[in-house]
Amino acid sequence: MSGQRVDAKVVMLGKEYVGKTSLVERYVHNRFLVGPYQNTIGAAFVAKVMSVGGRTVTLGIWDTAGSERYEAMSRIYYRGARAAIVCYDLTDSSSFERAKFWVTELQNFEENCRIYLCGTKSDLLEEDRKKRGIDFHDVQDYADEIKAELFETSSKTGQSVDQLFQKVAEDYVQLMAFQVMTEDEGVDLSQKHSTYFYSCCHH
Ligand SMILES: Nc1nc2c(ncn2[C@@H]2O[C@H](COP(=O)(O)OP(=O)(O)OP(=O)(O)O)[C@@H](O)[C@H]2O)c(=O)[nH]1
């Protein structure tokens, strides 16, 4: 993988326990890990090569730690991101408030970063609709207001996970079609020791 470039940096943001790592695991490895919850410490990185309309795109996905203890660190990871997947747990209204915090951060400090709102753990709603913590229409209104795409996903069943990342990549390719690529765009992974890795610290 020497010399592989990341085309688009994508950052996962959201309160702890909302399921950011599980989303990445489902998307990249098509699996859902069961067992005791272990929080992400710092951040983890993985590159994913995908195809959009016959074109190869490599997403560099940064999975940040949701704990407020790591808030300052998470700020480092959204710098230069083309896309942010801001996650909230569909059953936990406080996690939606936290999602709004990250949206405001991005709007203030990373205006070229596209925002994707992602309500996680939709399988729990299928078990019991009363578990929905935030009204869908309120979230949709908010998404419209901030011009964000809205997805409801389940890493457990895989629902809408591929669609979410595919949309991120498609939007990136579409944007690039209108922009001239410059030589210094992207991150040259040949500078790193390893290409496909979860860097420090997950679990
Ligand atoms: N039922 C269900 N549980 C999920 C889903 N996604 C994640 N979980 C569970 O929620 C817990 C937290 O998931 P993580 O993916 O570790 O959450 P995180 O956002 O990465 O957490 P931090 O690393 O602390 O920021 C784990 O026990 C997961 O098994 C889902 O789609 N459905």
Side-chain angles (χ1 to χ4, degrees):
M1 300 303 293
S2 170
Q4 165 132 22
R5 290 173 67 87
V6 164
D7 296 306
K9 176 178 176 180
V10 180
V11 66
M12 313 292 298
L13 293 168
K15 190 182 170 180
E16 65 188 325
Y17 202 73
V18 295
K20 300 177 293 298
T21 301
S22 301
L23 208 51
V24 176
E25 279 289 326
R26 169 58 78 187
Y27 181 57
V28 175
H29 301 296
N30 196 23
R31 67 185 175 196
F32 180 67
L33 299 176
V34 284
Y37 157 67
Q38 289 178 291
N39 63 317
T40 303
I41 299 166
F45 175 82
V46 66
K48 171 80 176 174
V49 182
M50 51 201 299
S51 175
V52 178
R55 201 198 132 162
T56 299
V57 178
T58 304
L59 298 183
I61 304 167
W62 284 98
D63 174 20
T64 66
S67 165
E68 293 192 24
R69 217 174 333 149
Y70 301 113
E71 187 177 299
M73 223 187 254
S74 297
R75 291 202 170 98
I76 295 168
Y77 293 108
Y78 69 60
R79 280 202 201 126
R82 295 286 186 172
I85 298 176
V86 180
C87 301
Y88 64 98
D89 179 336
L90 287 163
T91 68
D92 172 13
S93 59
S94 74
S95 70
F96 187 59
E97 293 310 308
R98 189 68 184 154
K100 286 180 174 171
F101 163 84
W102 284 117
V103 167
T104 306
E105 282 271 310
L106 293 164
Q107 287 173 326
N108 289 337
F109 302 113
E110 211 54 58
E111 58 180 326
N112 292 325
C113 179
R114 256 176 205 258
I115 298 172
Y116 300 79
L117 276 180
C118 178
T120 59
K121 311 187 188 180
S122 62
D123 56 286
L124 297 178
L125 302 184
E126 267 149 45
E127 285 167 17
D128 179 1
R129 297 174 83 83
K130 289 199 284 295
K131 278 192 181 162
R132 188 180 277 275
I134 322 107
D135 182 75
F136 174 78
H137 298 287
D138 291 348
V139 181
Q140 185 66 68
D141 288 348
Y142 178 68
D144 292 345
E145 184 191 317
I146 64 168
K147 298 184 175 59
E149 295 277 343
L150 173 60
F151 288 82
E152 292 193 347
T153 61
S154 167
S155 302
K156 190 171 178 182
T157 66
Q159 189 200 338
S160 297
V161 175
D162 285 355
Q163 289 89 330
L164 165 64
F165 286 94
Q166 192 67 29
K167 179 70 176 141
V168 169
E170 281 170 10
D171 287 349
Y172 168 75
V173 168
Q174 203 177 33
L175 187 73
M176 284 304 102
F178 294 102
Q179 287 183 2
V180 179
M181 289 282 272
T182 56
E183 260 308 299
D184 57 354
E185 269 182 336
V187 177
D188 188 345
L189 290 182
S190 63
Q191 306 293 314
K192 311 252 183 198
H193 298 303
S194 157
T195 49
Y196 278 66
F197 63 102
Y198 249 25
S199 65
C200 63
C201 329
H202 176 254
H203 303 344

